[in-house]
Amino acid sequence: MNGLLVLEQILNGLQLGVMLFLLAAGLTLIFGIMDLINLAHGSLYMVGAYVAATVAQLTGSFMLGLLAALPAAAVVGMAVEVIALRTLYERSHLDQVLATFGLILFFNELVRIVWGPQAIFMDVPGALSGTVEIIPGAPYPTFRLAIIGAGIVVAALLYVLVARTRVGMLIRAGASNREMVGALGVDVRLLYTLVFGLGAALAGLAGAMAGPLLAVEVGMGEGILILTFVVIVIGGIGSIRGALVGALLVGLVDTLGRAFLPTLLRLVMDPATADGVGASLSSMSIYILMAAILVLRPRGLFPAHV
Amino acid sequence: MSRLRRPRRRDVVLLGALAGALLLPPLALALDEPFYVSLASRILIYGLAAASLDLILGFGGMVSFGHAAFVGAGGYAVGILFVHGFDGSAVLGLLPGSDNALLVWPAAMLIAGTLALVIGAISLRTGGVYFIMITLAFAQMLYFFFVSLEAYGGDDGLSLYSRSRAPGLDLADDTTFYYVCLGVLVLFLWLGRRLVDSRFGMVLRGVRENERRMQAIGFPTYRYKLAGFAIAGAVAGLSGALIANHTEFVSPALMHWTRSGEIMVMVILGGMGTLFGPVFGAAVLLLLEEVLSTWTEHWMLVLGPLLILVVLFGRRGVYGWLVGGDTR
Amino acid sequence: MNEPLLRAEALEKRFGAVTATDKLSLDVRPGEVHALIGPNGAGKTTAIAQIAGELSPDAGEVHFDGRPITRLGMAARARLGLARSFQITSLFAGFSAEDNVAMAVQAHAGHSFRFWRDARLDPALRGPARLVLQLAGLQGREAVPAGRLAHGEQRQLEIAVALATDPKLLLLDEPMAGLGPDESVRMVKLLSRLKGRVAMLLVEHDMDAVFALADRITVIVYGRAIASGAPADIRSDAAVRDAYLGTM
């Protein structure tokens, strides 16, 4: 097995992990603070991707597209929160699941009407379209490296926000005891809307960055949403640290599994069976990981609530 | 128990629905619209799936968002056994295939039920938001698993060349198949009603009302929830077997998570915690989809907000509205 | 019969920097009423929760009926005869009063993997349920949904549900909470009827009730027992006066 190949796949895994972290960080806060299960979070990712793709096409600049996606997703997110989600906070989780399920159907159809059913393709920005030799002889796509870099920056910024600012303190307090925060006289509704906007912006950012890598199409949010759920379950609800660890774990396990499991299995099985079993197992690998962690820690690795 | 009083509104509604169901095929034939029989069969089958979800959702309070996985498992059980029976090979080199309904339909229930037992054993160790996400994730896992099974069609699905064989009945005839589906549904609704009124059913209801108190009075709630989950999964598997027969086709799309969402919608739309309600919910949803899709190809735009409104304002569901709240 | 029915030894529970239970020990003898009093926030409910099995102590042990139960969960302890009523009413709001009690009867009538007979028509459950309801003073109110009962009736039902599990020891967490004067008198009468038949660990603020019922009183302040003994002794204890009773 080629060491460079392994390194490349590890980086791919980190890149996937970063995208998942952007989605999971916002969502885990929303779960933890507002106790709201929101299936439509993937739709915000989709909005980010579509806005970025459209603006990039119109202006020819990926950066402009990215910069447009962030506020667009945040605004859409906050609008949805104020209009549709506020009534759901007091409701049962079942009601929240069904209502946000309805939101997904609505958003998907809306996007289909506005942009059409075909997928849009985004080009990797010229400046980042080459490769970088991280180790001599090992070229790696610059764009993917940029995503990893962006993720590290966001993670650092989030850490500063949550650990060092007043707003962050309110967020942490809200994640571990939401009634207390209200009792302390904080304008909880405003806090909720802001947290939602933050989560939406992060999701939009992930969508904009994913645009050049995957096709921008209706329904792109749902697949990654479920992966995000797995990340949050593994990491623990309400914990950004958990989201980071979970995202990196899921990203690495999924990527490395798909890349190397069939090869590993060939050591003990004939190639045809190994490929078949390998394909099946690797598509299930992160769920098996989730199950294993749940057996030991039913509330995830770093749950915010005790 | 006195049965000579004035009939309850509930009994009138149910008997009326049963009568309507019995008369549907001759009516459809008279109107020269055999399509209605096929649509009605689909309603009955999904009604069964929705009723099985109601057992754990409406009565047990377990918000399982992966129920379609058990439907799909049952469907694939029938499909895989059929394919092996057809070409004479053995499943995993051990089990002979078959298309005998008396063998494969119970097998579908057994397989789906066992799957539910395993998934439930892990998922039920959690609760709340975790449980919802985990059941969703496991269902997605199964979806990907079947997509990866090239031997059985993968993403394209698996075709059955005919329906299951049942002694004395020609299931290939749509009308016969319809009555079989109706019979199965009625049988399971009856058994289900007995179940939810039994001691076991009361435990599930108690868990939904106040699980903490149930534990405080001495119930080891986990095992009862797990049993309920497995039973619901097995019945969902049966509905999957029927779907596989109905369309003579199974594909991973059967267990896509949006299907789980649709089944849940049927339960809420029809009336949660009633067992009969979900069947009405299935009828309403499937008919709505039929009608809306002829008006506009963007019917989802309507369905989405409609769903939200129902959730927020439609407390008792269609069945609750029909029987005036007397759903016990 | 010298061995106490319940023995909690050196229980400790910390929530972050807060020590809720500080090496607390107490015991309850068969048939006695042992009252637990103390200011708000003293850790009484936390202590009950640890004895009932809802919270796991950081240190210490609990023994019941001669066996160690520290590792057992709530349901297992309930099956051994340790029943609990809650400070904040915790009933099956959608069930009738009779169904509430029948549920508790069913919990102690073997396993519930019975799928056929209608539980609501089962005399083995209904009969005992009605008896307990009568004992709790709720005859005539059997069919009312628990959520619709008056607050006082709900508190009576709280006790009834715990009682229906045929316990050896009742953990009563502020049974008088929110009761008016007449209802309080009724509740004290109910609990006196149970005196001697069932041991009780009674957490209460209502001092009239405490002195009317208790055989022994323990005073808890900041998670520690500062005094324990007969009611008359506690009444006159200077430390207790300072900490809690004030002008009693």
Side-chain angles (χ1 to χ4, degrees), chain A:
Chain A
M1 209 170 341
N2 191 346
L4 290 175
L5 190 60
V6 173
L7 181 61
E8 181 187 353
Q9 291 304 326
I10 289 179
L11 285 173
N12 283 349
L14 287 177
Q15 182 249 303
L16 176 59
V18 157
M19 305 270 270
L20 288 174
F21 170 67
L22 290 174
L23 283 165
L27 201 52
T28 197
L29 284 181
I30 293 170
F31 284 6
I33 301 177
M34 287 108 97
D35 198 25
L36 173 78
I37 178 158
N38 176 22
L39 293 184
H41 202 73
S43 300
L44 296 166
Y45 167 85
M46 181 177 70
V47 164
Y50 267 94
V51 167
T54 309
V55 171
Q57 261 177 7
L58 288 173
T59 65
S61 160
F62 172 80
M63 267 324 277
L64 279 180
L66 189 88
L67 289 173
L70 280 160
V75 163
V76 170
M78 290 195 281
V80 166
E81 195 263 346
V82 169
I83 298 173
L85 297 180
R86 280 214 176 147
T87 48
L88 291 178
Y89 291 136
E90 281 95 50
R91 297 234 168 196
S92 69
H93 288 140
L94 174 63
D95 287 348
Q96 294 169 357
V97 161
L98 288 171
T100 53
F101 180 59
L103 273 177
I104 296 180
L105 296 179
F106 177 72
F107 270 118
N108 280 344
E109 203 51 43
L110 193 64
V111 165
R112 193 173 286 135
I113 291 177
V114 172
W115 275 279
Q118 325 88 300
I120 303 180
F121 293 95
M122 264 175 93
D123 294 320
V124 176
L128 297 171
S129 60
T131 60
V132 165
E133 296 212 353
I134 32 173
I135 299 179
Y140 190 70
T142 318
F143 186 67
R144 288 180 184 250
L145 221 46
I147 292 181
I148 297 178
I152 296 177
V153 168
V154 170
L157 284 175
L158 266 179
Y159 171 73
V160 166
L161 174 73
V162 169
R164 296 284 147 105
T165 66
R166 266 198 83 225
V167 173
M169 188 182 64
L170 289 174
I171 289 177
R172 271 182 297 138
S176 57
N177 191 333
R178 87 183 62 85
E179 284 92 19
M180 257 332 254
V181 173
L184 289 172
V186 174
D187 184 349
V188 178
R189 289 190 352 172
L190 185 60
L191 182 66
Y192 283 9
T193 307
L194 286 176
V195 170
F196 205 85
L198 176 65
L202 290 173
L205 177 63
M209 294 202 296
L213 294 176
L214 315 164
V216 176
E217 58 188 345
V218 169
M220 66 189 287
E222 280 72 82
I224 201 156
L225 178 76
I226 298 185
L227 278 183
T228 310
F229 282 171
V230 174
V231 166
I232 294 177
V233 166
I234 289 178
I237 289 181
S239 159
I240 294 191
R241 180 167 45 141
L244 186 59
V245 171
L248 293 177
L249 261 179
V250 169
L252 285 169
V253 167
D254 189 60
T255 309
L256 294 174
R258 280 177 206 279
F260 299 119
L261 213 46
T263 320
L264 279 174
L265 287 174
R266 280 182 186 211
L267 296 174
V268 293
M269 298 176 187
D270 65 275
T273 323
D275 284 347
V277 173
S280 299
L281 265 185
S282 54
S283 63
M284 302 202 297
S285 61
I286 58 164
Y287 304 103
I288 297 174
L289 171 72
M290 178 185 80
I293 291 182
L294 280 175
V295 169
L296 300 167
R297 294 247 203 279
R299 316 202 89 214
L301 295 172
F302 307 104
H305 304 258
V306 163

Side-chain angles (χ1 to χ4, degrees), chain B residues 9-155:
Chain B
R9 188 161 151 187
R10 177 193 103 141
D11 295 338
V12 171
V13 169
L14 289 172
L15 279 170
L18 183 61
L22 285 167
L23 293 172
L24 184 115
L27 261 169
L29 255 42
L31 291 170
D32 198 22
E33 293 273 21
F35 166 71
Y36 288 154
V37 175
S38 177
L39 176 62
S41 296
R42 235 176 110 220
I43 289 175
L44 293 174
I45 295 172
Y46 273 102
L48 182 65
S52 73
L53 179 60
D54 195 25
L55 178 67
I56 53 175
L57 175 64
F59 288 94
M62 299 175 246
V63 184
S64 163
F65 208 88
H67 210 59
F70 308 122
V71 176
Y76 265 97
V78 166
I80 291 176
L81 284 169
F82 180 92
V83 160
H84 282 279
F86 192 76
D87 66 19
S89 58
V91 182
L92 293 177
L94 298 164
L95 227 54
S98 171
D99 67 344
N100 183 345
L102 292 178
L103 285 178
V104 297
W105 292 9
M109 290 185 73
L110 189 63
I111 289 170
T114 309
L115 189 65
L117 198 64
V118 171
I119 289 179
I122 302 175
S123 313
L124 287 168
R125 289 163 57 88
T126 70
V129 173
Y130 285 102
F131 180 74
I132 302 175
M133 294 197 289
I134 290 163
T135 49
L136 181 53
F138 276 130
Q140 190 73 339
M141 173 184 90
L142 273 161
Y143 171 79
F144 285 128
F145 174 68
F146 280 103
V147 165
S148 74
L149 276 189
E150 290 302 326
Y152 297 115
D155 207 10

Side-chain angles (χ1 to χ4, degrees), chain C residues 148-162:
Chain C
R148 300 251 201 88
L149 291 171
H151 179 71
E153 291 174 316
Q154 285 185 344
R155 298 305 287 159
Q156 285 166 268
L157 188 57
E158 251 313 302
I159 310 282
V161 169

